[in-house]
Amino acid sequence: MAATAQRLVPPFTKATAHEKVKVAQALWNTRDPQYVVQAYTPNSVWRNRSHFFVGHTSIRQFLQQKWAREQSYMLRKELFTFQDEKIAVQFWYEYQDSMDAMKWKRCYGIEHWTFNAEGKMENRMMSGNDVLIGEDGNGEGRWFQGLNADEVDGVVIPEGHS
């Protein structure tokens, strides 16, 4: 992945922007905060829903808390648009909420990213909304059920959900 990351620098083309999105998807699906934080500048600025924070320490703490709550997490990201050093993505992820009786939920959202010249993300702004999956969050109708992280791209996102 290091060789791939080295050539995924701005200004992005459609191909390199798409590849950057898929590298990010694979990285986040590891659910390893130590590993994920390496993709960001040391002073990266984040907004994640209603949380605002800056820097590796805050990002790592946020991700540790996120994945402690969001069990069985599985993510898919798709390129929405790009220009120069900026990329916007649409994403969907499913998880069991450990703070809500392990109910299954799906988050729908948009992120926009800004990268430095070395290809590290220096700004990440995320907006997302959660919905229960199935009756009372029983998980019926999950899209990524039984899949490995490298299989989520094969799922057809149903019409009206993208």
Side-chain angles (χ1 to χ4, degrees):
M1 190 179 301
T4 299
Q6 287 178 353
R7 62 185 167 79
L8 296 177
V9 298
F12 295 109
T13 65
K14 185 175 183 180
T16 60
H18 180 265
E19 190 173 352
K20 191 76 160 178
V21 170
K22 292 304 172 180
V23 167
Q25 173 182 298
L27 189 64
W28 276 66
N29 274 329
T30 69
R31 297 178 305 276
D32 181 344
Q34 265 316 106
Y35 189 49
V36 173
V37 77
Q38 295 175 38
Y40 302 91
T41 62
N43 59 349
S44 186
V45 176
W46 278 33
R47 179 182 60 77
N48 197 92
R49 302 177 193 246
S50 61
H51 302 280
F52 296 82
F53 43 92
V54 177
H56 280 184
T57 300
S58 296
I59 293 168
R60 192 177 303 105
Q61 289 171 342
F62 170 79
L63 292 173
Q64 288 167 341
Q65 293 169 357
K66 171 186 176 62
W67 289 318
R69 178 178 183 161
E70 296 176 355
Q71 299 291 304
S72 307
Y73 177 95
M74 188 66 62
L75 167 72
R76 169 135 165 222
K77 293 180 183 281
E78 291 296 335
L79 178 64
F80 187 76
T81 193
F82 71 97
Q83 183 176 0
D84 301 324
E85 79 284 4
K86 297 180 181 204
I87 296 176
V89 299
Q90 183 174 14
F91 67 86
W92 309 264
Y93 67 84
E94 296 176 347
Y95 66 98
Q96 287 183 285
D97 191 339
S98 69
M99 304 289 283
D100 190 14
M102 296 302 283
K103 291 181 181 176
W104 279 99
K105 297 181 179 178
R106 180 178 300 121
C107 182
Y108 295 82
I110 299 285
E111 294 176 325
H112 67 81
W113 306 334
T114 306
F115 295 88
N116 69 9
E118 291 78 40
K120 298 269 188 174
M121 195 180 303
E122 59 187 9
N123 192 291
R124 175 186 176 270
M125 300 290 129
M126 180 274 214
S127 295
N129 299 297
D130 294 328
V131 296
L132 289 175
I133 303 174
E135 187 176 330
D136 295 321
N138 68 5
E140 186 175 322
R142 289 177 39 225
W143 298 341
F144 306 138
Q145 184 171 0
L147 298 181
N148 295 319
D150 59 351
E151 298 174 311
V152 297
D153 287 331
V155 173
V156 174
I157 305 297
E159 191 172 327
H161 291 271
S162 60

